Amino acid sequence: MRSTRSHRSARPVLAVLIAVIAIALAMPALGGVSAASPQQLRELHNYRIDGITTKEQRTAIERTGLSIEGAGATYVIARGYAREAANVQALGFDISPSFAPDDFPPGYEGYHNYAEMNDAIAKEVAKHPTLVKSFSIGKSYEGRDIPAVLITKDAPTYTSGRPEVLFDGLHHAREHLTVETTLYIMRLFADGYTKKRSIRKLVNTRAIWIIFDINPDGGEYDITGDQFHYWRKNRQPNDPNPNVGTDLNRNYDYKWGCCGGSSGDPADETYRGAKAFSAPESKMLAKFVDSRVINGTEQITAAISFHTFGELVMWPYGYTFTDVPPDMTQEDHDTFVKIGQTMAQSTCLSGDCYYPQQMSDLYITDGTSVDWEYGAHHIFAFTIEMYGNDFYVPDSVIKSQTQRMKGSVTYLTKIANCPYQAIGKGC
């Protein structure tokens, strides 16, 4: 993590190698549309266009279809398809692929961009090779790995046999505090193993899965040009509709599009996609959860999906106002309520506590990850809407607001062996 902007040039070696490979792949696209492969024609790229000093030049670039994401005194950074880049080149502009990692603006340097997040994960694995195993659950639309870790004793050889809990972040691209939270959870369990007996006991007796960044394309796009764009969705085209992106947290295959809790219009923020699991990112998370069904039993028993903002601890269902619909038992509802209340109480900071409620008490949603995890796999899954009155809270609050999740995370991990113990029952 950077402490000042002057550190931005210290990029991980892996990121540099990726950039070199990406440039080599993308350069044919600038020789003309016919030189690009069909796959390259469908991929979004960042481009730097030099010699740009006037509003007329910038307008001409925008009219090709490229989207200008940032501008300097003599250049612009634009994003779009190879065919649009070829049109810019045909106008005589000096255009080249731009693969410098996007970064956070001043006041937010403490946040991790995609490359820095991966570097932090790699360092933690190197520190704790027997406790932390890193892997990817699959690829995003633009080809980025969706990074994850398993934390447990003998992690490299673990297959099953312990109660399992899942934590995920960044379904929505602009909710960057959730990535910091998943990184905090990794450090909490890995670094805490030798420091605190209660943490060591949890790591020895549980399997903790962390998926840091469900939406890496959207997250990187949101900081394109080192500025925020309030981007929510992924970056998957909706051809022939010109609007890009699917709301990943409306794309899951449980009550998908059922109840007025998502949109069928690609222009809308809550666009649910052409069909359930049409977005590769939500499909990959589901595939991972499905993979934890062993001998007919889902091994993951509890989960939290982190979002921002609102300071809420929420449980299913989002698709209906009914507290106990036919696809939920009264016992499960009571368990959700008790766990939610306990986790909310653990967040209290200077008299300010998160509020526990059913997801639909906020508003109706359908096709969410939490509804799917409970409805399809009977996982006691929660959404936590974190701190803030905006998506972009300064990096000065990262430490306090991620540490604020410790009680919820450790409590849910502890009762993952039998969530019903929250209401005094056994499994």
Side-chain angles (χ1 to χ4, degrees), residues 168-173 175 214-215 232-234 245-257 261-263 269-273 277 279 281-283 285 304-308 314 318-319 359 362-373 381-385:
D168 72 66
L170 211 77
H171 265 86
H172 294 142
E175 299 174 9
I214 299 293
N215 188 2
R232 173 184 174 96
K233 300 184 285 186
N234 75 348
T246 294
D247 183 344
L248 299 180
N249 206 36
R250 301 294 186 273
N251 191 238
Y252 288 85
D253 194 15
Y254 194 81
K255 304 296 182 180
W256 177 83
S262 59
S263 174
E269 290 274 72
T270 59
Y271 175 56
R272 57 181 170 262
F277 293 142
E281 297 88 352
S282 56
K283 186 176 181 179
L285 184 143
I304 297 175
S305 183
F306 291 98
H307 291 254
T308 62
M314 300 191 292
Y319 81 85
M359 289 168 62
L362 185 61
Y363 48 77
I364 290 289
T365 58
D366 49 43
T368 67
S369 67
V370 167
D371 273 12
W372 176 81
E373 287 169 0
F382 293 81
T383 293
I384 292 186
E385 294 280 356

Side-chain angles (χ1 to χ4, degrees), residues 104-181:
F104 288 89
Y108 302 86
E109 298 97 327
Y111 285 87
H112 291 72
N113 64 25
Y114 180 75
E116 292 163 344
M117 173 192 65
N118 282 312
D119 189 46
I121 296 167
K123 288 178 179 178
E124 205 68 20
V125 173
K127 286 168 60 179
H128 308 285
T130 64
L131 297 179
V132 186
K133 181 180 75 172
S134 63
F135 62 101
S136 170
I137 66 168
K139 300 284 188 180
S140 67
Y141 175 78
E142 293 182 341
R144 293 179 175 90
D145 280 314
I146 301 173
V149 297
L150 166 64
I151 301 177
T152 192
K153 69 174 183 178
D154 58 44
T157 58
Y158 174 82
T159 56
S160 65
R162 296 168 196 152
E164 298 183 6
V165 61
L166 171 66
F167 303 103
D168 72 66
L170 211 77
H171 265 86
H172 294 142
R174 59 199 175 196
E175 299 174 9
H176 301 285
L177 186 61
T178 67
V179 172
E180 304 309 313
T181 302

Side-chain angles (χ1 to χ4, degrees), residues 62-318:
E62 279 278 335
R63 286 175 177 171
T64 67
L66 285 184
S67 174
I68 293 177
E69 305 297 344
T74 60
Y75 71 93
V76 297
I77 300 296
R79 187 172 177 84
Y81 298 100
R83 63 179 181 273
E84 297 160 345
N87 291 336
V88 169
Q89 188 180 51
L91 293 175
F93 292 117
D94 181 13
I95 181 171
S96 59
S98 173
F99 292 99
D102 294 309
D103 226 333
F104 288 89
Y108 302 86
E109 298 97 327
Y111 285 87
H112 291 72
N113 64 25
Y114 180 75
E116 292 163 344
M117 173 192 65
N118 282 312
D119 189 46
I121 296 167
K123 288 178 179 178
E124 205 68 20
V125 173
K127 286 168 60 179
H128 308 285
T130 64
L131 297 179
V132 186
K133 181 180 75 172
S134 63
F135 62 101
S136 170
I137 66 168
K139 300 284 188 180
S140 67
Y141 175 78
E142 293 182 341
R144 293 179 175 90
D145 280 314
I146 301 173
V149 297
L150 166 64
I151 301 177
T152 192
K153 69 174 183 178
D154 58 44
T157 58
Y158 174 82
T159 56
S160 65
R162 296 168 196 152
E164 298 183 6
V165 61
L166 171 66
F167 303 103
D168 72 66
L170 211 77
H171 265 86
H172 294 142
R174 59 199 175 196
E175 299 174 9
H176 301 285
L177 186 61
T178 67
V179 172
E180 304 309 313
T181 302
T182 54
L183 290 171
Y184 163 73
I185 294 169
M186 175 178 64
R187 295 189 298 267
L188 170 68
F189 287 114
D191 294 346
Y193 185 81
T194 58
K195 299 176 181 178
K196 195 166 184 180
R197 181 179 299 178
S198 60
I199 295 297
R200 182 163 60 253
K201 183 177 180 180
L202 290 177
V203 172
N204 285 340
T205 60
R206 304 289 186 267
I208 302 154
W209 304 99
I210 305 171
I211 304 175
F212 299 88
D213 185 347
I214 299 293
N215 188 2
D217 300 346
E220 287 293 274
Y221 177 81
D222 189 55
I223 56 172
T224 302
D226 296 1
Q227 58 184 302
F228 292 128
H229 297 273
Y230 279 89
W231 189 256
R232 173 184 174 96
K233 300 184 285 186
N234 75 348
R235 294 298 300 169
Q236 184 178 7
N238 295 304
D239 296 339
N241 191 292
N243 294 285
V244 172
T246 294
D247 183 344
L248 299 180
N249 206 36
R250 301 294 186 273
N251 191 238
Y252 288 85
D253 194 15
Y254 194 81
K255 304 296 182 180
W256 177 83
C258 73
C259 310
S262 59
S263 174
D265 184 350
D268 289 350
E269 290 274 72
T270 59
Y271 175 56
R272 57 181 170 262
K275 60 181 180 180
F277 293 142
S278 59
E281 297 88 352
S282 56
K283 186 176 181 179
M284 290 301 101
L285 184 143
K287 184 178 179 181
F288 169 73
V289 173
D290 289 344
S291 77
R292 299 312 301 158
V293 177
I294 298 175
N295 297 325
T297 300
E298 174 60 61
Q299 304 299 294
I300 299 171
T301 61
I304 297 175
S305 183
F306 291 98
H307 291 254
T308 62
F309 54 93
E311 298 193 0
L312 300 169
V313 176
M314 300 191 292
W315 54 84
Y317 281 116

Side-chain angles (χ1 to χ4, degrees), residues 21-40:
I21 293 169
I23 291 172
L25 290 174
M27 283 304 291
L30 296 181
V33 175
S34 62
S37 70
Q39 177 65 24
Q40 288 169 343

